Amino acid sequence: MDVFRIEGPVRLAGSVNVKGSKNASLPIMACTILACGESSLGAVPNLSDISVFGQLLQNLGCHVKRNAQGQVCINSTVIDNPIGEYEIVRQMRASICILGPLLARCGRAKVSMPGGCAIGDRPVDLHLRGLQELGAKIHLENGYIVAEAPHGLIGKDIFMGGPFGSTVLGTANVMMAATLAKGRTIIESAACEPEIADLANCLNKMGAKIRGIGSPRLVIEGVSQLQPIQYEVIPDRIEAGTFMVAAAISSGELHLKNCRIEDIMAVVDKLRRIGVTVESKGEGCIVARTGTIKPADITTQPYPGFPTDLQAQFMALLSLAQGNSVIVEKVFPDRFMHVAELNRMAANLRKEGPAVIVAGVKKLIAAQVMASDLRASAALVLAGLAAEGTTTVNRVYHIDRGYERIEERLNPLGAKIRRESV
Ligand code: EPZ
C-alpha cells in the first residue's frame, strides 16, 4: 500500500493542466452501451476508477482499450452478459449507472446493489423509482437489483427529487434509459451538474433528443436507436477546485489551464470572499493569495451551489482562517471523516450534527493521517502542503481514484511529496 510523505510548509507557483472530469467520464462510458459499435472518448483521465469501470464494461461483453492518443475506445457491439458483478460494484458505486443503459439496450439487467461507503448510506431508491416509472419491473435477488423491460421502456413524466435534492447518477441512469424509451419522458428536479449536461450533450451527438440540458427539467423524446460517438469530456471542476485550494493554502499563485470557471462559480465566489484572487485567463484562470484567509460560512448543495466534493478541501483551507467558519453539509450529512484527521494536524474543528465549526488556527502541524475517501484524502494532502513538518498520508489509493498522479503534478510547482510503498 502506498503512502505520501509531504514536507511542509511550501509555496506553490506555476502552471498546471486540469485533466478531464472523472465524474463526467464514468456515465459517458456507460452511455456507449446504448449504441452498437465503437465509440472513442477523449480527455478521459487515467485513474483507477476509470480502469475499474472499463473492467465492468468488459465483463458485459464490450471491448475497452486506451489507444496511443490516450482516447478510451469502447466497442459495444456485443453485450451478452448484462450483469454488474458485486466484486466490481463494491469497489466503485458509480457502477450503478450501467443499470439504465443496460435495461434500455438489452431489456434486462442485473446489477449488484451498492452498499454504503465512507461518505454515508447512499441509497439508490430514486434510480429504481425512476426506472420503474418508465415501466421496468424491478426486484432484489441475493443482493442484486434485477430489472426487466422485455417489451421496452415507455416515456413518462417523472419527479426525481429526494430528501437531499436531486440525484446526479440517478438522473444519468433515467435519462440514458429514456433516450430509447417509446415516447416522451420529462424528468423534473433533474440534477443540473455540468457532468449531467456533458452526458446529455454526448447522448444528443449519438442521436438522442434531449432538451432543457443544464436545467432541472429535462425533456427526452425517445428514439429507436443511437449511434456510436467520438466525444471529448469536460475538464474536471473538482480537480480544478482542489488546485485552487492548493494555491490558496500555500500562499501561492497557480495558473490553471483547461479550467471552466463558469462550472465552479460558487467556489470562485467563496475564494474571492476569503481573500483569494481568481482571474480568468484564456481557457483557464490564475489563482493567488497574498494576505490572510478570512473565515466563511459554507453550505454544500446540489449544483449550482457549493459542491460537496470540495467541502473537505475547504475545511483544510478555512482551518487557517483568521476567525471562525461554519461548514454545513446538505448533500451527504455524514461526510466528515476528515474532521478527526485534520484535528490530528492541529486544526480546531468541532462537529455539530451535519455541520462543522472551524475555529481558525495559526498553523497546522504535520502528523500521520488516514485517508478515508477520495476528497477527504485530497484535503489531507492540501493540509500537508501548509503544515510544519512531514505529514504522512496513509491509504493513498483513495486519492489515486480521482486525481491522476497528483504528486507528479504538484511537485514541479514546489510541493515536496514522496510516494512510498509500505
Ligand atoms: C455523484 O454521486 C458523484 N459521483 C459524487 O462524487 C458526488 O459527491 C455526488 O454526485 C454529489 O454531487 C459520481 O458522479 C461518480 P447523488 P451520486 O445521487 O450520484 C441522496 C466523488 O468524490 N440519494 O447526487 O451517487 C444521496 O444519499 C464522488 O467524486 C437518495 O436519497 O450522488 C445524497 O444525499 C463521491 N436516493 C443525495 O441524494 C437515491 O436514489 C445526492 O446524491 C440517490 C441519492
Side-chain angles (χ1 to χ4, degrees):
M1 223 189 278
D2 288 357
V3 303
F4 278 157
R5 311 259 188 234
I6 307 173
E7 273 178 59
V10 293
R11 176 179 185 273
L12 301 190
S15 302
V16 60
N17 211 30
V18 176
K19 301 279 180 184
S21 161
K22 165 181 87 77
N23 288 349
S25 297
L26 294 169
I28 287 177
M29 287 172 77
C31 87
T32 63
I33 294 173
L34 292 162
C36 267
E38 177 152 310
S39 292
S40 84
L41 307 176
V44 175
N46 205 349
L47 301 169
S48 56
D49 268 14
I50 298 292
S51 315
V52 171
F53 207 86
Q55 188 58 54
L56 180 72
L57 296 180
Q58 300 236 71
N59 291 355
L60 305 176
C62 300
H63 291 283
V64 183
K65 62 173 192 302
R66 202 177 266 274
N67 68 16
Q69 292 74 45
Q71 286 156 330
V72 172
C73 304
I74 302 171
N75 191 320
S76 56
T77 306
V78 176
I79 294 193
D80 52 9
N81 182 40
I83 300 177
E85 299 285 356
Y86 173 72
E87 269 317 303
I88 295 206
V89 178
R90 78 178 173 82
Q91 293 175 54
M92 192 181 52
R93 298 179 45 89
S95 309
I96 188 70
C97 67
I98 60 173
L99 184 63
L102 275 182
L103 188 60
R105 162 100 182 247
C106 309
R108 70 200 159 92
K110 186 173 165 186
V111 178
S112 176
M113 179 84 162
C117 71
I119 68 177
D121 292 345
R122 304 189 69 185
V124 291
D125 55 315
L126 300 170
H127 299 232
L128 304 189
R129 228 174 57 203
L131 295 172
Q132 279 167 330
E133 297 264 20
L134 295 178
K137 298 273 175 278
I138 296 183
H139 67 278
L140 267 183
E141 204 177 277
N142 307 119
Y144 278 76
I145 301 159
V146 180
E148 286 162 329
H151 306 297
L153 298 165
I154 298 167
K156 180 105 183 270
D157 291 7
I158 303 173
F159 177 78
M160 287 217 46
F164 301 98
S166 52
T167 158
V168 174
L169 291 179
T171 302
N173 243 332
V174 175
M175 176 169 70
M176 287 190 276
T179 58
L180 292 180
K182 289 188 196 87
R184 171 186 297 180
T185 298
I186 298 179
I187 305 178
E188 299 281 4
S189 195
C192 304
E193 271 69 3
E195 294 77 17
I196 293 298
D198 204 31
L199 171 65
N201 286 327
C202 177
L203 287 164
N204 275 354
K205 273 188 101 178
M206 293 168 78
K209 293 199 172 133
I210 305 172
R211 286 181 285 125
I213 296 176
S215 82
R217 185 172 198 264
L218 294 170
V219 182
I220 305 152
E221 307 287 347
V223 296
S224 57
Q225 61 174 17
L226 298 179
Q227 304 305 321
I229 183 83
Q230 291 202 349
Y231 195 76
E232 177 112 350
V233 301
I234 54 170
D236 196 313
R237 67 192 168 104
I238 304 301
E239 180 173 281
T242 304
F243 286 139
M244 288 178 176
V245 176
I249 204 165
S250 70
S251 300
E253 176 166 334
L254 291 181
H255 178 191
L256 272 55
K257 295 178 174 164
N258 190 35
C259 158
R260 306 198 315 182
I261 67 170
E262 66 272 25
D263 286 349
I264 41 171
M265 278 315 292
V267 174
V268 169
D269 175 64
K270 214 44 98 178
L271 284 169
R272 287 178 175 153
R273 282 168 191 269
I274 65 173
V276 179
T277 58
V278 183
E279 277 166 18
S280 294
K281 184 176 179 192
E283 301 287 285
C285 60
I286 308 254
V287 185
R289 171 165 81 90
T290 45
T292 54
I293 302 166
K294 295 185 201 130
D297 291 344
I298 292 180
T299 301
T300 67
Q301 281 169 336
Y303 190 82
F306 190 95
T308 172
D309 290 345
L310 285 168
Q311 177 254 109
Q313 299 90 318
F314 266 72
M315 195 176 292
L317 177 61
L318 291 174
S319 291
L320 290 167
Q322 277 196 335
N324 295 344
S325 306
V326 178
I327 299 182
V328 182
E329 177 54 71
K330 289 227 167 147
V331 180
F332 293 114
D334 295 326
R335 193 178 199 174
F336 286 128
M337 299 281 278
H338 42 283
V339 167
E341 300 304 302
L342 289 170
N343 278 344
R344 301 195 73 249
M345 299 180 72
N348 186 353
L349 311 174
R350 188 157 51 86
K351 188 171 165 312
E352 292 277 349
V356 170
I357 296 147
V358 183
V361 293
K362 286 215 163 48
K363 61 178 183 184
L364 294 172
I365 302 172
Q368 286 244 15
V369 285
M370 194 68 82
S372 55
D373 81 84
L374 165 54
R375 309 303 171 188
S377 50
L380 298 177
V381 170
L382 294 168
L385 296 175
E388 274 180 13
T390 304
T391 297
T392 299
V393 180
N394 293 293
R395 298 194 184 160
V396 157
Y397 60 84
H398 284 296
I399 202 161
D400 291 334
R401 294 184 59 176
Y403 298 87
E404 200 177 311
R405 298 186 317 279
I406 194 158
E407 76 281 22
E408 289 178 24
R409 293 158 73 208
L410 290 178
N411 284 345
L413 306 173
K416 294 178 188 160
I417 307 176
R418 246 179 15 256
R419 183 186 287 263
E420 285 177 12
S421 293
V422 293

